[in-house]
Structure formats: structure tokens, C-alpha cells
Amino acid sequence: MKHPPAGTLRRALAAEWTKFRTDATHARLLLGLVVLTAAVGAATAATTTCPAPGCGVDAPRTALTGVLVGQVVAVVLGVLTAGNEYRTGMVRTTLAAVPSRSAVLTAKAVVLSAAVLAAGALAVAGSLLAARLLLPGNGFTPAHGYPALSLADGPTLRAATGSVLYLLLVALLGLGAVTATRSSAAATGAVLGLLFVLPAVTAVVGDPDWQRHLQQFAPMPAGLAVQATLDTARLPIAPWPGLGVLALWTAAALTLGRTALHARDA
């Protein structure tokens, strides 16, 4: 499939950016993503203790617990980036103005990515800052084997960077799902079910080998492995390959959405 001409893509980007920034719902969701992620991370850090050396708590992962909540907002934002146009019928106007459907979907993905990367970076930075201030009072001290959280620490930097990318990928997963289904409700339900129900099913599987394989395949457990900084060798899947599994799910959703967009009328 041919890539859209550069001029067409520029026009599509300008149009999608205008639509995105003038929709107050998008701004509220981005703010909610930042606030909820940082607030839940701070609350978790405030209530987690390390009473003795070797308590075994993964401090960076604890600080980034809010990503579990923030991902819901990211999914909704990704879905609404295209879902609102299907609901109102504005997608016909969009495709009349920019006939290249590949350019439209690419532009939506680029604008969404820029917004979520910025919000995700703020959310993760706020979570780590809150944990840096709160955790020492709960026993996470150098005497217990926990220096202050810092992005200068390689595993912490990987957990932080990976968390931002995780939020980006689940938002794009939502965009791909709604482009394929043309229904915000169906896309939101499908993506959240994939993220949350599949791990619940995995948890009730009795066979340890099957459970491990399912954890390697499920997008949320695999993707969030990137946050782990302790005992990574014992994880069902290594941190970066785990995020790669989520990236494959996202790529599949976007490919399905692009195919559906080309195969049918608006």
C-alpha cells in the first residue's frame, strides 16, 4: 500500500491537530491522565512500607502503580480521537477534505501520540517525584538498601520511559480498535476487556506453565513488565520484550483499523 504524499499528510496533520486541540474533552482527559496516574502513584507510595532491610518491594514499580489507572484514560482518549467523528458523522467531512484514508489515520495517530507522550511524561515524572518524597518516611532508605529514586539509575529510567511508552501504546490500541469497529462503546469495551479480563482469566489457570505463557501473551502483564526493577530474571517475560508484545497488539489493531477504513464507506 502506498504511503500518502507529503503534502496530503501535512494537510491531514494540520486538520487533526486543530480538531484535537479544540475539543475540550481531549484536554480534560489529558489532565485526568496526569492527575490520576500521579495521585494513585503517590497514594500507593504513601501506604507502602519497608520495615527492614531486604523487604523486597520494587520501589520504582510501586511509584508507577498509577499507570494501571491512567491507562484507562489513555484508552478512552485514543478511542474518542476517532470515535467522536463516527458518532457525529463528521468522518464523512474529514474523508471528503482528505481523501487519502491512510493520511487521515496516520495524522490521528501522530497527534494522539504527541499528546499522550507529553501527558504520560508529566504523569510519570509526578509519580516518581511524589514517591521520592514519600518513600523515605516509610522505610525506603539507604540503610534498608533503597537510595532515593532517580532517573540517573538505569532500571528506574527504563521503568519510567517504558511506562510512558505503555500509555502511548494503549492509547493507539484504542484508536485502532475504534477505527475497526466504528463504535466508541464497542472499542472501549474490547480494549479494556483485553487489558483487564485476560489477566483475570490467566490468574485462574491452574497449570503454572500455561499461566506463564498466558502472562507472556496478555498485553497488560507483558507490557507492564517494563516497570520491574527487581528479580527481572524471574518474570514471565523480560521488560523490553514484554513491552514489545503490547506493541504487536497495537500494531495489529492499527492494521485492522486501516484495512477496515479502506474497505468500507465512511
Side-chain angles (χ1 to χ4, degrees), residues 212-233:
R212 185 178 182 87
H213 290 320
L214 287 171
Q215 288 172 339
Q216 292 169 338
F217 173 76
M220 186 170 75
L224 288 178
V226 77
Q227 294 182 339
T229 65
L230 296 179
D231 297 325
T232 55

Side-chain angles (χ1 to χ4, degrees), residues 148-210:
L149 288 178
S150 171
L151 291 179
D153 174 62
T156 302
L157 178 60
R158 185 247 300 146
T161 303
S163 293
V164 176
L165 294 175
Y166 180 91
L167 291 169
L168 167 63
L169 289 170
V170 295
L172 291 173
L173 185 61
L175 175 62
V178 76
T179 307
T181 63
R182 296 193 288 187
S183 166
S184 295
T188 302
V191 174
L192 293 182
L194 182 65
L195 292 175
F196 289 98
V197 176
L198 189 54
V201 172
T202 301
V204 301
V205 173
D207 187 290
D209 290 333
W210 273 104

